[in-house]
Amino acid sequence: MLVDHHRRPLRNLRLSVTDRCNLRCRYCMPEEMYAWLPRPQLLDYEEMVELARVFVGLGVNKIRLTGGEPLLRRDLHRLVAQLRALDGLKDLALTTNAVLLQEQAPALAAAGLQRLTVSLDTLDAGRFEQLTQRDHFAAVIAGLDAADAAGFTGTKLNTVVERGRNEDEIPRLLAFARERGYQARFIEYMDVGGATGWTAQKVVSWQEILSQVRAAFGEVEEVARNDAAPADRYRLADGTVFGVIASTTRPFCATCDRSRVTADGMWFHCLYAQNGTDLRTPLRQEGSEAMRALVEQGWAARQDQGAVERAALDERGPLQAPGRDPGDNPHLEMRTRGG
Ligand code: SAM
Ligand code: SF4
């Protein structure tokens, strides 16, 4: 088994298929225009599958498709079907804002997509427009309906909690998830590229999230962990399970088995890493063996504990260094690395 410097295995790959998006969430892509990744540099589906094959051969058994908004990439179901055919891949999931899910859910299900995570920060259409700078709330709900109808189960609902914007909606979102059979997951606001409005005061900590849940639903018990997943899970008295991702105040780097590949084939060992490895050039010029050697060496040398290092700083971290133009380097952005 391939392990890194801290003996963490290579298990989990987040594959970003585009850096573009049809929303402009204020904590991720607050501006209208960005320096986009040049189109000729984007990996095509055949290249993504080849890359995924190499990672799976080295131990990855879970892949999550992400972005930007992955459903903007044409015929994503074709990529899903090809990835599902990879021997050794146990779990294929998608993170989406669901704006385009209504039309795509049946094809994604038919192609073998196993799990969905939908990002939704509010149940109020007006607030949705304030938070995302787009009027697409009804499309998201239609997307969730279509996903249910297409047979997806165990859907997760991701909510980034930001003080002053949506922290008052925690009980309502949890009730909505419970009613619809989804698992709500509340995420602490992270100081990552794109989060240009981030301040420590806007972070609603996991303790605050839990105390809101207790006030609305009564006692909660922690569910024992059995994997390296980022969410801590809790159970309400009626059995409803929900998650809290305390990535800002209680980082989980010690067990992190995730790495990320951007749509143009840059490999990052950590969400907070400032530098990545170009896998596109070796893949295009020398073939997958050359790429495989780079991945093997890169993972063996991996020391990253980005969220732990970030938590040790009082103010903004390196991805938000004062004076950095948020549009200047797409590789430093959350929208490019896939969250
Ligand atoms: N567009 C898709 C979506 O929103 O689900 C996939 C990409 S998005 C970058 C992946 C995840 O990152 C989303 O759940 C989003 O809420 C989360 N995210 C983006 N910026 C964040 C921030 N500053 N802090 C915490 N989570 C963030
Ligand atoms: Fe787009 Fe997702 Fe970022 Fe929102 S969080 S702007 S939906 S990539």
Side-chain angles (χ1 to χ4, degrees):
M1 186 173 60
L2 185 56
V3 293
D4 75 1
H5 185 81
H6 298 295
R7 304 209 59 74
R8 298 170 296 187
L10 174 74
R11 283 273 161 70
N12 221 307
L13 181 69
R14 302 183 76 106
L15 184 55
S16 172
V17 298
T18 179
D19 60 326
R20 293 170 186 255
C21 192
N22 44 8
L23 297 183
R24 287 291 181 278
C25 302
R26 292 184 188 274
Y27 52 70
C28 176
M29 268 177 108
E31 309 296 329
E32 268 311 306
M33 285 309 294
Y34 285 93
W36 308 109
L37 297 175
R39 284 195 193 271
Q41 293 182 9
L42 300 187
L43 301 183
D44 64 26
Y45 287 168
E46 283 60 39
E47 290 170 327
M48 285 186 185
V49 172
E50 199 41 48
L51 183 142
R53 190 190 314 281
V54 166
F55 274 88
V56 170
L58 289 171
V60 163
N61 57 21
K62 292 182 175 184
I63 294 182
R64 175 171 294 278
L65 300 176
T66 178
E69 174 45 41
L71 299 185
L72 286 177
R73 190 83 191 241
R74 185 177 310 205
D75 294 336
L76 190 71
H77 62 91
R78 281 204 305 115
L79 176 63
V80 167
Q82 291 179 61
L83 290 173
R84 275 288 272 158
L86 289 179
D87 245 358
L89 184 66
K90 294 203 183 116
D91 186 42
L92 182 61
L94 170 75
T95 300
T96 172
N97 63 30
V99 171
L100 297 173
L101 195 54
Q102 183 178 22
E103 58 206 62
Q104 296 188 35
L108 291 167
L113 183 68
Q114 287 155 294
R115 294 192 300 123
L116 271 179
T117 297
V118 170
S119 301
L120 183 61
D121 299 326
T122 177
L123 291 168
D124 179 274
R127 184 179 275 181
F128 183 93
E129 193 170 347
Q130 282 166 19
L131 297 181
T132 66
Q133 308 185 72
R134 295 289 187 273
D135 177 18
H136 289 327
F137 179 72
V140 173
I141 300 299
L144 284 169
D145 291 342
D148 295 349
F152 285 103
T153 55
T155 297
K156 291 180 178 141
L157 214 60
N158 271 4
T159 300
V160 177
V161 186
E162 186 182 337
R163 194 179 311 286
R165 290 216 196 264
N166 66 344
E167 84 272 30
D168 55 338
E169 279 198 66
I170 292 170
R172 194 174 166 210
L173 282 157
L174 182 47
F176 173 79
R178 172 169 69 178
E179 190 185 302
R180 303 206 32 151
Y182 307 147
Q183 190 181 118
R185 306 201 312 170
F186 299 103
I187 305 175
E188 290 180 353
Y189 186 15
M190 288 186 263
D191 174 35
V192 287
T196 50
W198 187 94
T199 62
Q201 292 69 35
K202 290 185 189 167
V203 178
V204 179
S205 70
W206 62 275
Q207 292 102 324
E208 285 182 76
I209 293 169
L210 284 186
S211 66
Q212 276 218 37
V213 172
R214 283 196 190 97
F217 298 96
E219 248 339 283
V220 299
E221 65 166 337
E222 191 162 355
V223 177
R225 269 185 169 274
N226 56 2
D227 57 16
D232 293 310
R233 291 186 306 141
Y234 300 89
R235 194 180 291 113
L236 302 181
D238 70 1
T240 304
V241 171
F242 66 99
V244 179
I245 303 184
S247 26
T248 299
T249 67
R250 195 165 62 170
F252 34 82
C253 302
T255 56
C256 177
D257 59 6
R258 274 172 298 284
S259 68
R260 301 153 200 285
V261 172
T262 62
D264 64 344
M266 284 287 274
W267 181 42
F268 288 93
H269 295 168
C270 173
L271 184 53
Y272 291 84
Q274 304 236 46
N275 299 302
T277 308
D278 172 17
L279 299 180
R280 181 187 71 246
T281 307
L283 179 64
R284 285 189 180 167
Q285 293 180 1
E286 299 162 74
S288 44
E289 268 314 303
M291 196 186 85
R292 182 190 155 92
L294 273 181
V295 175
E296 239 171 335
Q297 288 158 18
W299 193 262
R302 176 185 188 245
Q303 298 205 30
D304 301 63
Q305 306 205 45
V308 166
E309 286 160 19
R310 169 64 199 89
L313 303 172
D314 288 337
E315 265 314 311
R316 288 179 165 209
L319 295 180
Q320 296 294 345
R324 183 172 100 73
D325 171 353
D328 63 358
N329 182 350
H331 287 118
L332 297 184
E333 301 291 312
M334 188 74 147
R335 66 183 170 86
T336 309
R337 296 183 177 197

